[in-house]
Amino acid sequence: MLRDVSACNTYNYGDALYWDARYLQEAGCGSFDWYQRYSALRPFVRNYVPTSSRILMVGCGNAVMSEDMVKDGYEEIVNVDISTVAIDMMRRKYEHVPQLKYMQMDVRDMSFFPDESFDAVIDKGTLDSLMCGANAPICAGQMLGEVSRLLRHGGVYMLITYGDPTARMPHLSRPVFNWKIELYIIPRPGIQKPGDSHSNVKSYLEPIPLTEKGLLPADYVMEDPDAHFIYICKKIDERVDLSNKSADI
């Protein structure tokens, strides 16, 4: 598994110093949400993540997605980021919002949290950042291993990424994670295909059938070549699976 260079540049997105400098430089520019705002992701989040869930938002930066989720009824979101600058800013901003907690943390080592601490983990571009850095496959494996460890049985890892299945499925489909994976494709903000808007939205909410190798069908046509991919990775409850197998014997 090689480093994903399809949308990388010369910046080291896995380096805390880079992000600290960037957030200091952009301190007066307001918040920034990578890829998609919550309004576009809401149907997926509400479908897979109950509002009572304990949620981990990895690589939160200074985005307002967690704030928007709280306004939509979500009760507990723990936000982590490698940048101390970003976390300090967000702590001050949301100090009176008890549903939101902010912690400086490297997603490759989240040993502060015990196993099975969260019902859901949401990742909007953080894995992508690691895939652009040095030792990308190792870093990606470390992060995904931590995500898997922290998810409760039946929990969901929601990955929003620019990486298509050829780039992401080799990492996500490793047997050690034991994830059942569904894929959705959503256009970039402002991109809309011609036709009835209601039917367009409905089509985005339908999972894309993958081949046995976890790839897009050969005849699948990307209407927006720069669309975003949403991987829903559900941690299979091995206890239920084993009990079902026992019942079949």
Side-chain angles (χ1 to χ4, degrees), residues 65-132:
M65 179 160 171
S66 294
E67 174 189 343
D68 291 341
M69 289 177 64
V70 168
K71 291 177 179 177
D72 198 27
Y74 284 90
E75 300 171 4
E76 183 179 7
I77 306 175
V78 179
N79 301 268
V80 300
D81 198 279
I82 198 171
S83 170
T84 301
V85 173
I87 291 299
D88 287 346
M89 288 192 300
M90 298 300 272
R91 278 177 178 163
R92 290 193 297 269
K93 181 177 180 180
Y94 295 111
E95 61 181 338
H96 300 302
V97 182
Q99 299 94 329
L100 296 177
K101 299 178 179 64
Y102 287 87
M103 304 177 66
Q104 190 280 330
M105 194 171 295
D106 187 329
V107 294
R108 293 166 289 191
D109 178 9
M110 296 186 281
S111 53
F112 175 86
F113 300 118
D115 294 357
E116 300 180 21
S117 292
F118 296 95
D119 301 296
V121 177
I122 298 178
D123 171 5
K124 196 149 60 80
T126 300
L127 181 64
D128 289 1
S129 294
L130 292 180
M131 292 302 298
C132 285

Side-chain angles (χ1 to χ4, degrees), residues 185-249:
I185 299 178
I186 184 171
R188 291 167 295 160
I191 302 296
Q192 188 173 9
K193 63 182 180 182
D196 178 66
S197 60
H198 178 74
S199 62
N200 291 344
V201 171
K202 183 179 179 181
S203 68
Y204 302 146
L205 301 181
E206 297 173 354
I208 306 298
L210 297 174
T211 68
E212 290 184 1
K213 294 184 178 180
L215 303 178
L216 291 173
D219 59 351
Y220 186 83
V221 178
M222 291 280 294
E223 294 171 345
D224 174 12
D226 295 317
H228 297 133
F229 298 83
I230 302 176
Y231 296 86
I232 306 295
C233 308
K234 185 173 183 179
K235 187 174 182 179
I236 297 174
D237 192 335
E238 295 175 339
R239 298 164 300 182
V240 173
D241 190 47
L242 288 173
S243 65
N244 289 338
K245 289 181 180 179
S246 299
D248 293 336
I249 296 176

Side-chain angles (χ1 to χ4, degrees), residues 128-170:
D128 289 1
S129 294
L130 292 180
M131 292 302 298
C132 285
N135 302 314
I138 295 174
C139 291
Q142 290 171 331
M143 173 187 164
L144 293 175
E146 283 291 83
V147 168
S148 178
R149 180 183 68 81
L150 293 178
L151 275 178
R152 293 167 180 157
H153 293 288
V156 168
Y157 170 47
M158 181 177 295
L159 169 65
I160 299 95
T161 171
Y162 64 76
D164 67 24
T166 60
R168 292 294 175 264
M169 286 298 285

